[in-house]
Amino acid sequence: MMYSRIVGTGSYLPERILSNHDLEGMVDTSHEWIFTRTGIIERHIADESELASDLALQASRRAIESAGIGADEIDLVIVATTTPDMLFPSTAALLQSKLGIKNNCPAFDVQAVCTGFIYALSTADCYLRSGKYRHALVVGTEVLSRIIDWTDRSTCVLFGDGAGAVILKPSVSPGILSCHLHADGSYNPILAAPGRVCNGQIQGSPFVSMNGNAVFKVAVNVLEQVAEEAMLANKMSPSDIDWLVPHQANIRIIEATAKKLSLNMDRVVVTVDRHGNTSAASIPLALDQAAREGRFREGETLLLEGVGGGITWGAVLLKW
Ligand code: ACO
């Protein structure tokens, strides 16, 4: 039996910090409203010149360094992003070039909004288990600030920019135990950035629109379901989970999931307070942060889970 295993992590956050207090000067809101509703205190915002592939490049370099490999040993690049540099080429292809990888390895993007990293990790896992590739670079990177209407208080207080990356290798010992992916496209009206390019013009709004209440309810339900599905598939119970590394959208959603798993919050990785919702970047950012703090011990069981536009949702259960 072949598994794939995370052997390196990295992340990157743009320098500029936008606090809740800064937002008070931009829209009719307050630190208190944002913090009590979401748990967010501040988020990072990319410079105008920084693209998703630039953030991904910094995170990838750190992941490559922590894995102790050379960039040319990477033979598969998968990038999860909702805010690609351009319509095409893919951000993964641009990243491959920026990293100086010259081996013509496949590079492609995955789009599942905030669940993107879970989808990308699952895709890489399939390729590595099949024995086809030796080192996969899997990245979640976002410049969400580009598709936010900064006059809309119902969305602009929630999101931030950043990137996280992992290096995945085949392994005879686990590793990723199982991946569980889902989507229900009929929910698209409650969370979307509906604009499209046509005849050189943007048709429809290019900004994130969200029915927060509806997304909140769906998110709590599907995250509970997929956590149960992942545990059942591995004959595990909540007491077998050492760490929950959830998508960082809202502390209340995270706490509700932890409660349903009977997990103490000190076993849950939380970065939403300092990063906001960085969509596809949020899980690998949280993973890297906790890994660098030395919180995970070898052999511990981690449950990664996410939910986002689509609606998409999913989980990865793994041994560290
Ligand atoms: N500051 C002050 N007041 C505000 C703000 C703000 N930034 N935004 C909304 N309000 C007001 C509303 O207008 C409303 O006022 P009213 O009662 O006079 O009409 C009131 O606050 C309450 O609004 P609600 O939307 O009911 O607030 P709620 O408690 O639901 O919190 C929130 C809103 C934080 C958005 C929550 O619903 C949420 O987190 N939803 C989930 C979002 C999510 O998880 N997204 C993940 C996926 S994102 C992706 O995939 C890209």
Side-chain angles (χ1 to χ4, degrees):
M1 176 90 172
M2 207 57 171
Y3 297 95
S4 73
R5 193 181 180 94
I6 293 174
V7 295
T9 65
S11 62
Y12 174 77
L13 289 156
E15 256 174 52
R16 187 181 152 216
I17 293 175
L18 185 70
S19 70
N20 290 349
H21 294 295
D22 296 330
L23 281 162
E24 286 174 355
M26 296 164 62
V27 286
D28 181 13
T29 192
S30 65
H31 165 73
E32 216 246 320
W33 190 98
I34 301 168
F35 184 66
T36 52
R37 294 290 214 292
T38 69
I40 300 169
I41 297 170
E42 59 188 30
R43 68 289 287 146
H44 293 247
I45 303 292
D47 278 349
E48 258 175 49
S49 61
E50 281 182 307
L51 303 174
S53 65
D54 296 319
L55 274 53
L57 176 64
Q58 302 301 334
S60 301
R61 282 186 175 147
R62 290 171 190 175
I64 290 166
E65 193 190 345
S66 92
I69 61 167
D72 246 330
E73 289 180 72
I74 293 166
D75 51 6
L76 175 65
V77 181
I78 307 180
V79 171
T81 186
T82 311
T83 46
D85 289 14
M86 49 183 87
L87 288 177
F88 70 83
S90 69
T91 304
L94 298 168
L95 175 63
Q96 184 217 43
S97 160
K98 285 184 179 181
L99 280 167
I101 299 172
K102 300 262 191 294
N103 58 17
N104 300 333
C105 71
F108 57 91
D109 288 0
V110 164
Q111 160 58 306
V113 199
C114 301
T115 322
F117 182 75
I118 296 287
Y119 269 63
L121 198 58
S122 167
T123 307
D125 178 54
C126 294
Y127 278 117
L128 293 191
R129 273 170 193 259
S130 76
K132 201 160 172 166
Y133 300 108
R134 303 297 305 163
H135 293 101
L137 169 64
V138 185
V139 187
T141 184
E142 299 284 13
V143 281
L144 251 289
S145 58
R146 305 276 154 77
I147 57 165
I148 298 300
D149 175 356
W150 289 98
T151 65
D152 174 8
R153 69 175 183 176
S154 69
T155 52
C156 77
V157 302
L158 302 174
F159 298 98
D161 301 334
V166 301
I167 302 290
L168 215 57
K169 254 185 98 159
S171 163
V172 285
S173 60
I176 291 179
L177 296 169
S178 66
C179 303
H180 307 269
L181 305 182
H182 296 283
D184 183 345
S186 69
Y187 279 116
N188 74 82
I190 67 170
L191 181 57
R196 59 187 161 267
V197 176
C198 186
N199 292 327
Q201 306 283 324
I202 297 170
Q203 293 187 341
S205 168
F207 296 125
V208 171
S209 79
M210 178 171 72
N211 176 337
N213 271 308
V215 173
F216 193 100
K217 282 178 200 145
V218 176
V220 171
N221 276 335
V222 297
L223 289 175
E224 184 192 359
Q225 280 168 26
V226 81
E228 273 169 13
E229 182 186 326
M231 288 186 292
L232 193 67
N234 293 281
K235 299 187 176 58
M236 286 187 185
S237 65
S239 61
D240 296 312
I241 308 294
D242 295 302
W243 292 98
L244 177 65
V245 188
H247 171 48
Q248 308 284 322
N250 184 314
I251 192 67
R252 292 186 292 144
I253 297 177
I254 295 172
E255 284 171 351
T257 311
K259 197 170 167 196
K260 285 186 169 146
L261 289 174
S262 311
L263 261 190
N264 201 307
M265 281 304 284
D266 63 7
R267 308 303 280 172
V268 181
V269 180
V270 175
T271 55
V272 69
D273 52 340
R274 282 156 296 129
H275 302 169
N277 180 348
T278 57
S279 193
S282 96
I283 294 172
L285 262 165
L287 194 70
D288 179 56
Q289 193 128 347
R292 280 173 196 268
E293 285 166 10
R295 294 175 82 184
F296 308 142
R297 297 225 179 90
E298 199 173 334
E300 282 189 326
T301 304
L302 275 59
L303 179 63
L304 279 46
E305 61 169 14
V307 57
I311 295 286
T312 53
W313 65 99
V316 173
L317 195 71
L318 62 88
K319 290 279 181 196
W320 189 249

